[in-house]
Amino acid sequence: MNGPTPRAAHDPRPSPDPGSPAGELPDDAVSAVRGLADTPAGPPRLTDPLRHPEHARGATRARRAWTLLLSTLVVPGSAQLVAGRRAVGRAALKADVVVWAALALGLLSLLLWRTPLVWFVTNSVTSLLVIAGLVVLAVGWLYLFFDTLCLIRPGLLVRRTRRAVAAATVALMLVTSGGLGYSAYLLSVARGAVSDVFGGGLPFRPSDGRYNVLLMGGDAGEDRSGRRPDSMTVVSVDARSGRTVTVSLPRNLQNVPFPEDSPLAEVYPEGFSCGDECILNALYTDVTNNHAELYPDAQDPGAEAMKDAAEGALGIEVQAYALIDMSGFEQLVDALGGITIDVGGRVPIGGGTDMETGLPNEIFGYIEPGVQHMDGYHALWYARSREGATDYDRQARQRCVQAAMLKQLNPVNVVTKFGELAESGAKVVETDIPQSQLGSFTDLALKAKEHELEQFAAGPPYYDPSFPTYPDFELLHADVQEALERATDAGARDASALADAPAPGAGPAMAVPVPAARPLVPAEELSPNGTCSVP
């Protein structure tokens, strides 16, 4: 037959171009398949809504806008990739992979071995790299959101949707890029505070399996000539288990001996013994004013001398010290927003005796009983007031202040007032613990929280009240060693076995109590001046 068949006349498929190979469709057919439609009025129309939303319906444009924003939030760079900006999208996705790998590695280190993670964050060089990385990520994410807004083409949206998308974009920029930028700021502040507080050098090793650090509370009030520590405690931590013992040294401890390798052993061969003036906390001022040349490499000769005195008194090696100066305590409490304490009795502000004239100091006011919210000034006086109080009262008030600070030191305060806390902390704390030790000490502190804190003291209630004046250091050395041996995993197992073992001839329900290291001498009862609690 010479003419076309009826079916061919009505076949909607386009005929092949006579000049094209057999089986291929013409260009206009391919364009139609790909989303292009010929119209008599103009050029082909693009109908892919992701890349060409101008011909999509209003609802489709709105869904597209929110999809691109959500994609940039969840997987930065994905919006650029699907919208045709492949170079930008691929670069951002590569950065995503690196960030997620770093986060996974950090989480793995946090769960299995925290020491290198803490070292990486606190080291002055690596922490600077982290800060720079956070800044780069913040700027990059900000650019991606801005670019996504351009890809959305807000002019194609209805007014209400356009406003909502713009507001959401700004909010997401603040949350993501702003959060990264603020994290970089916090890390920068922490980096500065760590550098200001902690020294350089290599980490020190434990002695006989323990880290021993002397903690001192320094008081440089207006009624003092120079700083002297009013409280001294050696914190001894088992390097393996984290079991901790605190051994308190009374400030009025006399005749303290020094180790043979101490430079003070030649100056005071019979110990720090010159009567009532040579009490333990007077050594700090004595060395600072008269014998600083004995510690030429020390940043604080007085603190180094106190370490030697603690070694001689307790018979253990003390590797480091940390001194908390009350001169910065007021600022620290103010940075926290104050502390709240339920005060048991009136506590004077001022009072005591003038060390130069011997006359009573003026009392400027009182901290009244009841629930009191104290600023730094009142909290400082509450912690250090001596008027009408025994040492037991004062120590009890200091414990309440410490507990109140720990209770109020919550994550919200830390984040919102981190700069003030770091600044005041640098003024409050002085230590010779090297910065490189922070990783192992942080890991050890987390282990220590799993065990109860053991306490001991070179005075009441573990010894007679006359012990600080007439100490028996050989007895003290032996008792300290016994206390440290109990603060190990092996010692804890032995104590538990002894507690569970039945007495000879006793029934199964009877057991032998674990004896204390020393018979306890009943402590003096607190007066209302020393009674307090944290609400």
Side-chain angles (χ1 to χ4, degrees):
M1 298 179 65
N2 296 327
T5 63
R7 179 178 177 180
H10 299 283
D11 192 342
R13 293 177 299 176
S15 301
D17 191 333
S20 64
E24 289 192 6
L25 297 178
D27 293 339
D28 56 347
V30 175
S31 300
V33 172
R34 290 181 178 178
L36 307 178
D38 283 334
T39 60
R45 187 163 56 114
L46 305 173
T47 59
D48 182 355
L50 277 176
R51 299 188 182 185
H52 308 288
E54 59 271 16
H55 300 296
R57 292 180 300 174
T60 303
R61 295 173 184 174
R63 286 196 300 271
R64 172 183 179 274
W66 293 116
T67 300
L68 292 178
L69 272 184
L70 184 62
S71 299
T72 303
L73 174 65
V74 177
V75 185
S78 58
Q80 283 70 25
L81 197 62
V82 300
R85 293 178 58 84
R86 295 183 179 276
V88 175
R90 287 170 180 170
L93 290 178
K94 290 178 181 178
D96 293 344
V97 173
V98 173
V99 170
W100 280 110
L103 289 176
L105 186 61
L107 180 60
L108 191 63
S109 176
L110 182 64
L111 296 175
L112 301 179
W113 190 22
R114 291 176 287 263
T115 300
L117 178 63
V118 175
W119 175 88
F120 190 85
V121 175
T122 57
N123 181 270
S124 58
V125 176
T126 54
S127 61
L128 186 60
L129 295 178
V130 175
I131 293 172
L134 290 174
V135 172
V136 170
L137 289 176
V139 173
W141 217 343
L142 186 68
Y143 168 77
L144 289 176
F145 271 113
F146 182 77
D147 186 63
T148 300
L149 188 61
C150 294
L151 292 174
I152 289 173
R153 299 171 66 179
L156 298 177
L157 303 174
V158 298
R159 179 178 299 179
R160 179 181 300 178
T161 304
R162 182 167 61 247
R163 291 176 177 177
V165 167
T169 303
V170 173
L172 291 176
M173 285 179 176
L174 291 176
V175 171
T176 55
S177 297
L180 288 173
Y182 189 64
S183 298
Y185 161 75
L186 293 182
L187 187 56
S188 176
V189 173
R191 178 175 179 269
V194 167
S195 299
D196 290 341
V197 173
F198 295 92
L202 298 175
F204 51 81
R205 300 181 63 83
S207 174
D208 295 328
R210 306 192 73 88
Y211 292 106
N212 304 312
V213 179
L214 174 63
L215 299 184
M216 296 177 285
D219 197 348
E222 296 178 358
D223 58 341
R224 294 289 183 90
S225 55
R227 181 171 64 181
R228 64 169 62 183
D230 266 4
S231 63
M232 292 146 286
T233 301
V234 172
V235 179
S236 180
V237 187
D238 183 66
R240 182 181 296 273
S241 65
R243 295 183 183 272
T244 305
V245 178
T246 62
V247 184
S248 298
L249 292 166
R251 66 185 183 88
N252 60 335
L253 187 64
Q254 298 188 25
N255 306 320
V256 175
F258 298 98
E260 294 181 357
D261 58 350
S262 170
L264 289 174
E266 296 183 5
V267 180
Y268 299 107
E270 302 299 325
F272 193 50
S273 176
C274 60
D276 292 340
E277 295 182 0
C278 285
I279 60 177
L280 178 57
N281 76 331
L283 178 66
Y284 184 98
T285 305
D286 176 67
V287 171
T288 300
N289 295 337
N290 305 317
H291 304 292
E293 72 281 357
L294 297 178
Y295 299 92
D297 299 327
Q299 178 183 357
D300 188 338
E304 291 295 326
M306 297 301 295
K307 284 169 55 178
D308 287 351
E311 287 190 6
L314 303 180
I316 59 176
E317 180 185 353
V318 178
Q319 299 110 319
Y321 77 89
L323 194 153
I324 302 175
D325 195 335
M326 301 303 284
S327 63
F329 177 80
E330 182 176 337
Q331 181 181 351
L332 181 61
V333 174
D334 285 335
L336 282 173
I339 57 175
T340 302
I341 294 177
D342 191 351
V343 178
R346 297 182 87 196
V347 175
I349 299 175
T353 303
D354 191 301
M355 301 299 293
E356 295 182 1
T357 65
L359 298 176
N361 292 321
E362 181 182 356
I363 295 178
F364 303 101
Y366 291 88
I367 299 173
E368 299 294 341
V371 177
Q372 302 286 349
H373 186 76
M374 305 179 193
D375 59 11
Y377 172 81
H378 290 88
L380 177 60
W381 269 110
Y382 188 73
R384 70 189 295 262
S385 176
R386 297 182 181 277
E387 181 70 23
T390 66
D391 279 346
Y392 291 104
D393 293 330
R394 190 165 178 260
Q395 292 168 9
R397 284 189 268 112
Q398 290 175 353
R399 288 194 295 269
C400 280
V401 170
Q402 294 167 358
M405 291 181 67
L406 289 175
K407 184 175 182 179
Q408 188 164 344
L409 193 65
N410 55 58
V412 175
N413 281 337
V414 171
V415 173
T416 58
K417 302 178 180 179
F418 190 84
E420 297 173 68
L421 290 172
E423 180 183 355
S424 58
K427 296 179 180 179
V428 170
V429 181
E430 170 192 315
T431 182
D432 63 347
I433 297 175
Q435 187 174 334
S436 56
Q437 196 87 44
L438 289 180
S440 59
F441 270 24
T442 301
D443 195 45
L444 203 58
L446 294 174
K447 291 181 181 179
K449 294 181 66 175
E450 301 174 0
H451 309 287
E452 291 188 9
L453 178 67
E454 302 289 339
Q455 297 182 344
F456 193 67
Y462 297 91
Y463 298 94
D464 186 89
S466 63
F467 187 87
T469 306
Y470 307 101
D472 183 344
F473 288 108
E474 291 186 2
L475 177 62
L476 179 59
H477 292 180
D479 290 341
V480 168
Q481 287 299 325
E482 186 177 348
L484 298 184
E485 289 173 4
R486 291 199 308 272
T488 61
D489 284 342
R493 286 194 298 268
D494 292 343
S496 178
L498 183 60
D500 295 337
M510 301 179 63
V512 178
V514 179
R518 296 280 300 166
L520 299 184
V521 178
E524 299 177 17
E525 294 185 2
L526 296 176
S527 72
N529 178 286
T531 57
C532 56
S533 62
V534 179

